[in-house]
């Protein structure tokens, strides 16, 4: 296995984007000779970090190296900023486009990776779980699978935010900066549900989805709501709950389960 | 000499900030025994990149390693985003505070660096030249010297920007996103001149300044205007022009000159 | 927490040495206010990789970030080469000196870390477990604690190696290159037991020791032998066995146990 | 342009090897549309560091980024240890094989680079100049061009070394460790001249060569001797001298000249 840290010019960001990647060996190592995942082409899994995270979160805290070696996966861990992986109109603030277009284009032209939809997955945790669903539905011809863990599905709550609200994770100005008009955000392309329905109505195949959330996670309610939405609208979904809060003790084992769900199709 | 790459939690960014640093040896190397810069404490020079740059720009393209070793300087090269090193109200978008407070605090508590104003300088090129002047004037008790090369002193031009203007480096929305209300930006804290005058009027010593711009640089006019402003208002300034455009052939030699100007006080 | 990657000039290696470090915050984070490990100074734990590993092994595969944050530890992960962390006479091949002198000196002068014996520990796995014991006993005034996991205690087997032996991990020339004369290696300073006894006989306090080995590990026998040696000679030792082979499923939980053993003194 | 830092499993080293790489954009940037070097496939230039250097030497101190962008070159800067880029018999100490086989194989299979001899060059300075000549002659079917700057052509001096010689750069044991039997080294495969003649005698085309050395460099004499050897034996060689010592003021401009010489064939 090799590990790469890459900075590459991304038009969407008007500067360099960055990612870490664990890349399985091209030549099957002797101890993987009987591993069924090495009987086919390397697949690509992009893993998105949460709010206040960066490219090192999955790298340092999960078993990303083991994901890569065990499942013959190119595991790509970009830094995606603090903008919920959505696009703003301002130059350099296109975080969805960064993942779904610039990063994918770089992986294809530099390494020959992520060329086929069937070989390309996206996952994430918390803000990155939101991002994985949103980016997956924005680019349904690029991604065939989504892993969304403890997803920060805050889109329906934005319309109730007020300038004088108590500041939890971020202030009111942050949400306006990120999503624009908060009143209409849930009806815009910022809402993964809007994208999912559009794909469905236009006959575009949505990605298969694995979702998981801890039963003690403060984000449980919106995850259950998303589950209901997806089931009612015919998504191909595996949804799981289990004991746990918003931390790596929950995310790492459920990432394994999500990967196996996507690979076992 | 050692070189460090650091990611540290920065409240101003609501995530990790990053920097590279060349650090001269604590024990004076034998071939520096007669070097006068090694007769005193290591000083700190923060170098800011330009628009679309990052922490690797000075590192890869200038002689930053030589700056460090020759002048006994801790040369600190942070990534500062694409926001002209100014603060927005939104959580996580305080780029001036990141440099002037969070980075400085980290350098002090981790390495014991940049504790005294006399030992702490800030420089930059293009957008980073603007940032060096702006940050230096925002924190005059922290920085005793500024190096501003080919500075992107665009603040007076903002009020004339229109939504349908031709897009050069960035679109109209970018400038609004970065500076807020464009009509009033030149009268706000985003304008280094406002900060300079405030310091002066409050009896706070402004940093000494080295400015340089190439005579073929497209930013020559606003650099000359800034020179006039600073001279008229009693700044301690060395201003230089010379043949050159907006590239490293101009920046590297003038960075040497700027460093020597600041050190020779 | 911050994470640093550092390349620094190491005379022992005649070139740069490198390490990663997770550094806990100087200012106690609010969620650590009740954590007893934050009621005292940050301690330093150096973690050595195994044969064919490097500075990223503990970083990517263990819970090193959690070790640091949970226990208020500066976790230092150097690259130590493939030389079993022993010193050769040739310039640039002093791997024990690199860890025990150059790295320690750099940590002290740059970060103010690892100044007191009581605050300085060393651990490792496999070849790094050997290295932790060996380095800990070579520098008993520097290290007060050792964590040795699945240690590659091969020193007594060297004398039986032959040029035509079947090549497992490395060839005969490798062992000669690393240890010099194989017949006398077990009687030399390359043998941690020799160092342990010398310290004892000279009235120097040896470090406290945590050892662990999986019951299915191919290195179980020499670990049991080392345990017997240490017990017979009055070491302060906690030795543990448990189900497991030579992998991270064994190392990570036993590293937690080892850290708690050393910290609870 | 993108910049990559890569750690990959190298059998020759029995651990990870590492390199930095500047990679020009696959899509020709608008400001390179008239650049003739972008009218053909990206070529690969491996640049070897000197004694006590590593993968960051060319990266931080030369104009490697400009080499890459200006000439459409993948500039690959590996860490090669302190072993003069020659192979020892001991497992993990095959520094020539690392560059000439493992690195090349990784570049080919991961990026599709360095597949054709005509597109693959190797250069270096000091110990790396020796390494570039030696590796180039060892793998004449892989490399079509060599750039050798201020090369440490010490092979003929080894036989005169004594255990009690004054220690300059390294001790006697270091040279024995690196080259084996010093008396016969100049007649062995460690000598680039031996390899050059073997290629010639076997009808294998040797690479084209650019050599340069400063007239104040302490290595001038052996560089002149190598020049004579190569000319007498029909090498395709451009040899240059100029004012300068053993530093980057000499190496950077002569690297430009060497690159242009190789590219202008």
């Amino acid at each position: 296995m090799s590990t790469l840290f890459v900075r590459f010019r991304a038009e969407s960001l008007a500067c360099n984007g960055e990612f870490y990647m664990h890349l399985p060996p091209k030549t099957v190592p002797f101890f993987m000779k009987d591993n069924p995942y090495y009987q086919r082409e390397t697949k690509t899994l992009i893993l998105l970090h949460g709010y206040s995270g960066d490219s090192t979160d999955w790298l340092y805290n999960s078993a990303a190296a083991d994901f890569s070696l065990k499942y013959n996966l190119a595991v790509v861990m970009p830094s995606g900023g603090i903008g919920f992986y959505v696009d703003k109109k301002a130059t350099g603030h296109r975080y969805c486009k960064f993942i779904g277009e610039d990063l994918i284009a770089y992986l294809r032209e530099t390494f020959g990776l992520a060329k086929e939809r069937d070989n390309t997955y996206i996952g994430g945790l918390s803000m990155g779980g939101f991002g994985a669903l949103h980016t997956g539905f924005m680019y349904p011809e690029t991604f065939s699978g989504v892993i969304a863990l403890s997803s920060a599905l805050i889109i329906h709550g934005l319309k109730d935010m007020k300038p004088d609200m108590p500041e939890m994770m971020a202030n009111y100005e942050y949400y306006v900066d990120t999503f624009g008009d908060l009143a209409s955000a849930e009806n815009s392309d910022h809402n993964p549900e809007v994208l999912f329905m559009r794909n469905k109505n236009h006959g575009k195949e949505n990605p298969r989805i694995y979702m998981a959330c801890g039963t003690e996670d403060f984000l449980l309610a919106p995850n259950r709501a998303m589950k209901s939405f997806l089931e009612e609208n015919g998504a191909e979904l595996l949804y799981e709950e289990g004991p746990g809060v918003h931390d790596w003790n929950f995310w790492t084992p459920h990432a394994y389960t999500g990967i196996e769900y996507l690979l076992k199709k």
Side-chain angles (χ1 to χ4, degrees), chain A residues 88 171-182:
Chain A
K88 295 166 64 174
N171 62 12
Y172 177 77
E173 287 83 0
Y174 166 83
Y175 292 101
V176 174
D177 187 278
T178 302
F179 292 102
D181 179 50
L182 299 185

Side-chain angles (χ1 to χ4, degrees), chain A residues 10-15 87-95 97:
Chain A
E11 197 193 324
S12 52
L13 303 181
C15 66
D87 288 342
K88 295 166 64 174
K89 286 183 186 163
T91 301
H93 295 79
R94 317 278 168 86
Y95 305 107
K97 192 175 179 183

Side-chain angles (χ1 to χ4, degrees), chain A residues 137-229:
Chain A
F137 298 160
M138 184 68 89
Y139 298 100
E141 286 150 354
T142 300
F143 300 101
S144 63
V146 170
I147 296 170
L149 306 175
S150 311
S151 303
L153 295 157
I154 62 170
I155 197 83
H156 295 298
L158 296 176
K159 62 182 175 295
D160 301 321
M161 290 184 169
K162 303 291 174 211
D164 58 351
M165 69 182 193
E167 190 173 323
M168 302 289 289
M169 186 182 74
N171 62 12
Y172 177 77
E173 287 83 0
Y174 166 83
Y175 292 101
V176 174
D177 187 278
T178 302
F179 292 102
D181 179 50
L182 299 185
S184 63
E186 69 183 342
N187 301 317
S188 77
D189 279 10
H190 292 340
N191 185 349
E193 298 163 18
V194 168
L195 304 177
F196 182 90
M197 292 310 293
R198 185 187 303 158
N199 293 335
K200 188 180 172 189
N201 294 336
H202 287 65
K204 285 189 186 165
E205 189 179 10
N206 275 299
R208 296 169 70 224
I209 306 158
Y210 174 79
M211 286 184 69
C213 193
T215 46
E216 283 69 56
D217 194 309
F218 64 98
L219 289 167
L220 183 60
N223 276 270
R224 286 181 171 175
M226 187 67 174
K227 177 211 177 204
S228 298
F229 167 85

Side-chain angles (χ1 to χ4, degrees), chain A residues 249-264:
Chain A
N249 293 320
F250 186 83
W251 298 324
T252 298
H254 286 85
Y256 276 106
T257 311
I259 291 168
E260 298 204 350
Y261 170 71
L262 294 182
L263 290 174
K264 275 179 183 160

Side-chain angles (χ1 to χ4, degrees), chain A residues 76-145:
Chain A
V76 178
M77 296 160 278
S79 279
I82 57 169
F84 268 80
Y85 302 98
V86 297
D87 288 342
K88 295 166 64 174
K89 286 183 186 163
T91 301
H93 295 79
R94 317 278 168 86
Y95 305 107
C96 181
K97 192 175 179 183
F98 169 58
I99 303 295
E101 297 186 29
D102 288 351
L103 176 58
I104 289 289
Y106 186 85
L107 293 173
R108 285 176 178 170
E109 75 181 22
T110 308
F111 308 100
L113 291 168
K115 283 173 300 187
E116 298 87 23
R117 181 184 190 270
D118 276 358
N119 287 340
T120 311
Y121 309 134
I122 187 166
L125 66 88
S126 197
M127 182 183 86
F130 176 92
L133 289 164
H134 181 269
T135 310
F137 298 160
M138 184 68 89
Y139 298 100
E141 286 150 354
T142 300
F143 300 101
S144 63

